[in-house]
């Protein structure tokens, strides 16, 4: 048994969760369940990123005390994670006293690589980062991700010497000591690394009040990304605790937009602290709505609660884990969602379970008590590559195989034949029919096993039906059509 640590990005709490936020949690939860299924001990972190001007300004706009505001929104994320059926073992808030203290300790440990200097440049508050002059010109002075003008900032800040670690980071990415998934993103990060300047890691208190104080300098507050990235360690109790049971993380799940922080600043921090690098940085694509980035100004933002309520949790997990490609951008539309529910969950799986259980019930068959799932090397290989939507596709092929098999073998035709046969022949045919049904029930149980990390509830229901004292179809089909 190994101890495995997996992490998710901690969202800003300047609003309620949106549909894109689901991805980190669903992917991490699937992996956590998979690893637990293999018998490993999993520590699974989630949390909220609560500092920075973006959040302080939003609270001021709403005339709410900033602490009350972050409390409210942090709770919404916690609730959202629960609604998604994700089960993190830890939930960290960057306003937790322990986290703030841990951050300051981390800063002190990095002091050999920190210097103070004046800087003038273009800043995007949406991204919470300075952009280069080249990016400023290319984007005509407007951040394409946040549709807001870059601001000119001139400040005296602390800098973190990324330059001290560039060579080591490059080697770690190239050798896959810190693997970046998908592969093409590793190449992107190596390119970015080449031109990465030292990063400004503090802001004067005159500009930013809502943050962790720089130790030993009351006039400066830490840059939100230094504060936020530290969460992956402080949640384990670093630096007080020995974290070697769980660190380095096995997989860190992040969206493609924030991979750069995790592939450059984060490993530099870890190297500065003398800690090993995470094994895998997994960067997922974005959920789009009608082919476009979701934005309040376009008015195409999809409310995750509405999607969850429409067809329930298994349908939500099914769509986002299978039809949203694990690595590429993919589209959510209500049409696609409805089609996936009706054609795949209801027809392919729900009907199969219902038909097979009905046929078994008519024969008064007992469930398979001592069921042991078969080892499926291909499935394990795809799951280990962390391409979950592919592993889900593979599992669905098995569902389709079973549908083909039941249509080929036509077990419902046996009854007529049995009735028309003499006793000996009827006995033979009955035994054959039972053999066919039990063999298919066995295969369906194997499918349920493969489905477990994706659709735990559905997997359990199928398992219960076909391992029960007597096989009985559910009163309400697993996925009633609507
Ligand atoms: N606070 C930072 C993360 C700090 S981690 C140390 C942040 N927050 S965020 O709220 O903007 O994003 C949180 C996560 O949601 C990120 O992994 C981000 O990529 C992901 N997503 C945000 N929009 C998304 C989609 N439309 N689709 C998929 N994931 C998206 O960045």
């Amino acid at each position: 048994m190994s101890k495995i640590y997996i992490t998710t990005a901690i969202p800003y709490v300047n609003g309620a969760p949106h549909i894109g936020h689901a991805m980190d949690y669903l992917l991490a939860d699937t992996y956590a369940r998979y690893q637990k299924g293999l018998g490993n001990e999993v520590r699974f972190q989630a949390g909220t990123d609560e500092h920075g001007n973006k959040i302080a300004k939003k609270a001021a706009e709403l005339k709410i005390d900033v602490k009350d505001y972050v409390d409210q929104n942090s709770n919404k994320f916690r609730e959202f994670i629960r609604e998604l059926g994700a089960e993190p073992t830890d939930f960290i808030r960057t306003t937790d006293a322990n986290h703030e203290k841990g951050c300051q300790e981390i800063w002190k440990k990095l002091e050999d690589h920190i210097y103070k200097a004046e800087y003038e440049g273009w800043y995007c508050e949406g991204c919470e980062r300075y952009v280069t002059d080249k990016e400023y010109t290319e984007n005509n002075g407007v951040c394409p991700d946040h549709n807001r003008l870059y601001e000119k900032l001139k400040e005296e800040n602390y800098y973190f010497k990324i330059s001290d670690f560039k060579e080591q980071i490059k080697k770690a990415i190239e050798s896959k000591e810190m693997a970046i998934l998908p592969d093409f993103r590793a190449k992107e990060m190596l390119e970015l690394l080449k031109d990465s300047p030292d990063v400004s890691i503090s802001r004067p208190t005159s500009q930013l009040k809502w943050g962790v104080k720089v130790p030993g300098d009351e006039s400066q507050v830490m840059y939100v990304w230094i504060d936020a990235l530290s969460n992956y360690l402080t949640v384990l109790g670093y630096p007080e605790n020995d974290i070697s049971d769980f660190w380095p993380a096995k997989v860190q799940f992040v969206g493609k937009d924030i991979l750069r922080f995790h592939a450059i600043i984060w490993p530099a921090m870890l190297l500065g602290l003398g800690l090993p690098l995470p094994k895998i940085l997994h960067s997922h694509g974005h959920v789009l709505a009608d082919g476009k980035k979701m934005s309040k100004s376009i008015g195409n933002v999809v409310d995750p609660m509405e999607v969850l309520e429409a067809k329930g949790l298994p349908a939500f997990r099914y769509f986002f884990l299978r039809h949203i490609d694990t690595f590429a951008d993919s589209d959510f539309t209500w049409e696609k969602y409805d089609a996936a529910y009706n054609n795949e969950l209801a027809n392919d799986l729900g009907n199969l379970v219902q038909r097979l259980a009905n046929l078994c019930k008519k024969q008064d068959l007992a469930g398979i008590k001592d069921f042991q799932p078969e080892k499926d090397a291909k499935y394990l290989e795809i799951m280990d590559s962390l391409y979950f939507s592919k592993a889900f596709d593979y599992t669905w092929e098995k569902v389709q195989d079973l549908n083909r098999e039941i249509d080929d073998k036509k077990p419902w035709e046996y009854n007529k034949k049995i009735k028309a046969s003499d006793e000996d022949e009827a006995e033979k045919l009955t035994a054959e029919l039972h053999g066919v049904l039990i063999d298919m029930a066995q295969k369906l149980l194997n499918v349920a096993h493969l489905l477990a990390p994706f659709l735990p509830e559905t997997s359990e229901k199928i398992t219960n039906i076909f391992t029960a004292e007597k096989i009985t179809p559910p009163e309400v089909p697993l996925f009633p059509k609507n």
Side-chain angles (χ1 to χ4, degrees), residues 38-195:
L38 295 176
N40 294 319
E41 184 182 339
V42 175
R43 187 115 181 221
F44 167 7
Q45 153 284 9
T48 40
D49 189 357
E50 306 188 4
H51 289 128
N53 272 342
K54 196 162 45 174
I55 290 162
K57 276 190 189 164
K58 197 66 199 266
E61 248 171 66
L62 297 168
K63 299 196 171 52
I64 310 179
D65 174 69
V66 60
K67 185 68 175 85
D68 291 343
Y69 181 65
V70 296
D71 284 351
Q72 279 171 23
N73 279 341
S74 180
N75 282 336
K76 286 185 194 157
F77 275 94
R78 208 192 274 259
E79 176 59 16
F80 181 53
I81 293 170
R82 211 184 51 78
E83 300 258 3
L84 293 175
E87 293 175 352
T89 53
D90 298 82
F91 188 89
I92 182 164
R93 302 180 53 184
T94 56
T95 51
D96 289 344
N98 276 349
H99 168 77
E100 295 194 0
K101 191 165 158 266
C103 259
Q104 291 179 323
E105 296 297 321
I106 287 173
W107 179 289
K108 284 193 236 160
K109 284 178 187 279
L110 292 174
E111 253 160 15
D112 283 353
H113 309 280
I114 292 175
Y115 61 94
K116 208 172 189 181
E118 183 156 274
Y119 186 77
E120 186 171 3
W122 298 104
Y123 194 80
C124 170
E125 201 170 274
C127 302
E128 296 283 15
R129 71 177 178 96
Y130 279 105
V131 296
T132 58
D133 287 342
K134 192 169 151 225
E135 274 178 285
Y136 177 86
T137 318
E138 276 169 8
N139 297 330
N140 293 319
V142 183
C143 171
D145 286 342
H146 297 94
N147 215 2
R148 74 160 79 204
L149 289 172
Y150 293 122
E151 300 166 66
K152 186 97 186 188
L153 293 185
K154 184 178 178 185
E155 298 172 343
E156 184 166 63
N157 296 337
Y158 286 101
Y159 281 82
F160 182 43
K161 277 184 166 172
I162 296 286
S163 45
D164 286 351
F165 307 104
K166 272 191 180 181
E167 208 36 51
Q168 267 172 286
I169 299 174
K170 178 171 174 270
K171 282 200 188 119
I173 298 177
E174 282 171 348
S175 67
K176 298 198 184 348
E177 174 197 336
M178 177 179 80
I180 295 180
L181 294 178
D183 246 0
F184 74 92
R185 296 254 176 242
K187 294 191 186 85
E188 266 176 28
M189 292 302 121
L190 285 169
E191 275 310 302
L192 266 181
L193 182 68
K194 275 189 204 154
D195 299 329

Side-chain angles (χ1 to χ4, degrees), residues 8-14 18-25 45 48-49 54 77 126 146 225 227-232 253-258 261-262 284-288 293-294:
T8 53
I10 51 172
Y12 295 121
V13 287
N14 59 333
H18 64 67
I19 199 102
H21 287 133
M23 290 318 295
D24 277 330
Y25 304 128
Q45 153 284 9
T48 40
D49 189 357
K54 196 162 45 174
F77 275 94
H146 297 94
W225 272 99
D227 164 5
L229 290 163
S230 301
N231 95 83
Y232 301 127
F253 290 94
V254 299
K256 62 173 188 177
D257 54 327
I258 59 166
F261 301 97
H262 289 80
H284 60 79
H286 273 188
V287 182
L288 308 173
K293 192 179 152 72
M294 275 177 270

